[in-house]
Amino acid sequence: MLDQLRPYWDQAVRFAGQAADWAAFQASRMPAYWVQLRDYWDGLAPNTQDALLTAGLLAPALLLGLILIAGFRPFPLVGAMLWRFRLTNVMFVALIAVSVGIGVGLIAQERGLRAGTARAADKFDLVLAAPGSEMTMLLAAVYLQPADVPLLDGKIYEEVASDARVRIAAPIAFGDSVDGAPVVGTTPRFVEYLAGTLAEGRVFADEAEAVVGASVPLAVGDEFEPAHGMGPEADEHAHEEEHFHVVGRMAPTGSPWDRAVMVPIEAVWHVHGLSDGHAEGWDGTVGEPFDAAAFPGTPAIIVRANQLWANYALRDAFTRDDVMAFFPGAVLAQLYSLLGDVRQVMSLLAVVTQVLVAAGVLTGLVILTRLYAQRLALLRALGAPVRFVLAVVWSYAASLIALGALAGLAVGYGATALLSRMVTEKTDILVTATLGWPEVHLVAAFVSLAMLLALLPGLAALPRNVVGALRG
């Protein structure tokens, strides 16, 4: 069977090769003015390019309108038609507006979520963890999603902390919670790096103190007892002997750390029956330096290098059998690549949905224009040219589409704000999506296509027999 298919396969391969050679040959013969035009386009400001692209998308509909309306004044008659069936027209406009608004709202939300996740990972240049899934560790260390992961030992921490290229090497530990908020053990230096100047209070200085994120419902001076675990399965009484006092509150960061409660990592180790991570004779000062022999282990180490280039050298140095190092931004880029495909599918679905709604509206207009058949026949009997009648019906349909699209942008603006708030509440990632040029392009493409299709109701409304139409 395979031998029989082999000649066809070889022929297909030869055809593909010839097609590629032809494309390369045509590209090499591209006229100089095309190259100059491309250079001119690339030299334009981004907003200018977007505005010109919007005009280009609307051009077919505008050109069709100019051809139909040139020399006529159909608008008084169109205004009368809009007012005569105003309730029906409002319903048509509302259908288009909802379709357009939901479509652009979802597309804008995807872009806002992408920007929000990237902003949340800004402070996390390099993450070290035990070999495994980078995505799992990204979600655990950066977005504080519960995960059961192996620990890095004290030798690896000492190795990275003592590297001359490292500015900050902060171990983090998690697993406990307070009223659903994750309790994260770390160092005072990392809290200062992550939060900058605190909105209130100070950074913790001993094992019984804590700093809360901006969204945690605890005030400075409050006392709490951590539960072991997260979510419904958390054991509220596992650490009854441990109590913490809130001494500081971070300013909003727009990341899941806004709902985190940060305590000294020594406290997390002690709560779970482990050593404090320091050599004998420790004076109780929390934070670095740690002793490699007494270091109980950490799920992840957040690293910031002295220089940008050093991050790459550190990643290469700590990517080996016993430890992995990864850039959260690179993992997010892989995720964005997948989201890019999803965005294309969403955009296509949005356009298809809008076209289907427009087709439904235009079908309704075809039926509606049947009510005008006698009036349109009267126009023809009075000597009105076919193009004038066509211009009246097309302008009527185009007005509904244009009003629906404009209202759709307003609906999309509201839907985007509402969806951003919902996503932020669900993910703790600050999402501030707004409508931009991609959404404008989407609406412009829809308007142009729908207005071209709006020619169909006009053609359907033209009376084939004027006398018969006048008689009803």
Side-chain angles (χ1 to χ4, degrees):
M1 182 67 179
L2 293 177
D3 293 337
Q4 295 176 349
L5 294 176
R6 175 68 65 182
Y8 298 101
W9 172 257
D10 293 340
Q11 187 174 1
V13 171
R14 284 196 298 273
F15 177 76
Q18 293 171 358
D21 294 340
W22 182 85
F25 174 71
Q26 293 298 324
S28 67
R29 296 181 58 191
M30 182 179 291
Y33 62 86
W34 278 113
V35 177
Q36 294 175 355
L37 185 62
R38 179 60 184 269
D39 293 341
Y40 176 76
W41 175 263
D42 292 340
L44 294 175
N47 285 335
T48 304
Q49 290 182 349
D50 287 323
L52 290 175
L53 182 57
T54 303
L57 290 171
L58 292 173
L62 296 175
L63 184 61
L64 176 62
L66 289 175
I67 293 174
L68 290 176
I69 300 174
F72 299 136
R73 297 181 60 189
F75 300 111
L77 195 54
V78 172
M81 293 170 68
L82 291 173
W83 180 253
R84 176 68 177 82
F85 293 98
R86 49 189 177 278
L87 294 180
T88 304
N89 294 331
V90 168
M91 185 179 67
F92 286 160
V93 170
L95 281 174
I96 297 175
V98 171
S99 172
V100 171
I102 292 177
V104 299
L106 289 176
I107 299 300
Q109 204 58 41
E110 185 271 343
R111 190 177 64 252
L113 183 59
R114 182 181 302 195
T117 53
R119 184 171 53 250
D122 274 349
K123 292 282 188 175
F124 299 83
D125 294 343
L126 185 65
V127 176
L128 270 59
S133 169
E134 293 180 350
M135 183 61 72
T136 299
M137 284 311 306
L138 172 71
L139 295 175
V142 179
Y143 300 106
L144 300 180
Q145 296 300 308
D148 186 11
V149 296
L151 305 179
L152 295 175
D153 60 27
K155 291 182 180 178
I156 294 177
Y157 174 77
E158 185 179 44
E159 184 179 356
V160 64
S162 61
D163 195 302
R165 297 165 294 188
V166 172
R167 176 185 166 194
I168 296 175
I172 60 173
F174 35 75
D176 294 336
S177 63
V178 178
D179 296 331
V183 174
V184 183
T186 187
T187 63
R189 194 178 181 194
F190 180 71
V191 175
E192 294 171 348
Y193 163 72
L194 179 67
T197 303
L198 295 184
E200 188 179 1
R202 58 174 175 80
V203 178
F204 50 72
D206 64 50
E207 288 191 61
E209 295 180 342
V211 173
V212 298
S215 302
V216 176
L218 290 173
V220 174
D222 285 352
E223 180 179 327
F224 67 89
E225 172 189 314
H228 183 71
M230 296 281 296
E233 298 179 356
D235 186 350
E236 299 289 343
H237 305 292
H239 307 309
E240 289 181 337
E241 304 299 327
E242 306 296 336
H243 296 271
F244 292 88
H245 293 84
V246 179
V247 297
R249 174 182 294 279
M250 294 196 310
T253 64
S255 74
W257 290 76
D258 285 345
R259 62 178 176 84
V261 176
M262 282 151 285
V263 300
I265 193 169
E266 293 90 344
V268 175
W269 287 331
H270 268 161
V271 164
H272 294 90
L274 303 173
S275 62
D276 54 32
H278 295 276
E280 292 186 6
W282 176 49
D283 62 358
T285 302
V286 296
E288 309 93 336
F290 297 103
D291 181 71
F295 194 87
T298 179
I301 303 172
I302 311 301
V303 176
R304 184 174 181 81
N306 292 322
Q307 301 290 335
L308 179 61
W309 62 266
N311 284 313
Y312 294 90
L314 291 168
R315 184 194 58 177
D316 294 340
F318 289 96
T319 299
R320 57 196 196 209
D321 293 339
D322 59 342
V323 61
M324 72 172 182
F326 65 93
F327 297 134
V331 180
L332 284 175
Q334 298 175 9
L335 182 61
Y336 295 158
S337 176
L338 175 62
L339 289 177
D341 297 335
V342 174
R343 178 185 176 83
Q344 293 176 358
V345 174
M346 291 174 61
S347 300
L348 180 61
L349 289 176
V351 171
V352 170
T353 302
Q354 292 164 13
V355 170
L356 288 177
V357 171
V361 171
L362 294 176
T363 302
L365 291 177
V366 170
I367 299 173
L368 189 61
T369 51
R370 291 291 183 184
L371 301 175
Y372 294 110
Q374 196 170 28
R375 295 178 178 84
L376 296 176
L378 181 59
L379 287 176
R380 292 292 310 280
L382 292 174
V386 172
R387 188 164 64 87
F388 176 77
V389 177
L390 198 59
V392 170
V393 179
W394 182 86
S395 299
Y396 170 58
S399 300
L400 297 180
I401 294 170
L403 290 173
L406 290 175
L409 285 175
V411 172
Y413 184 83
T416 300
L418 179 62
L419 289 173
S420 295
R421 182 178 302 177
M422 294 172 62
V423 174
T424 300
E425 291 178 354
K426 294 293 183 183
T427 64
D428 294 313
I429 297 172
L430 179 61
V431 177
T432 54
T434 57
L435 298 185
W437 281 111
E439 289 71 43
V440 174
H441 295 159
L442 184 67
V443 175
F446 161 74
V447 168
S448 190
L449 180 59
M451 286 190 176
L452 292 177
L453 293 175
L455 200 57
L456 299 178
L459 294 174
L462 289 176
R464 296 179 180 177
N465 188 324
V466 175
V467 176
L470 286 173
R471 289 176 177 174

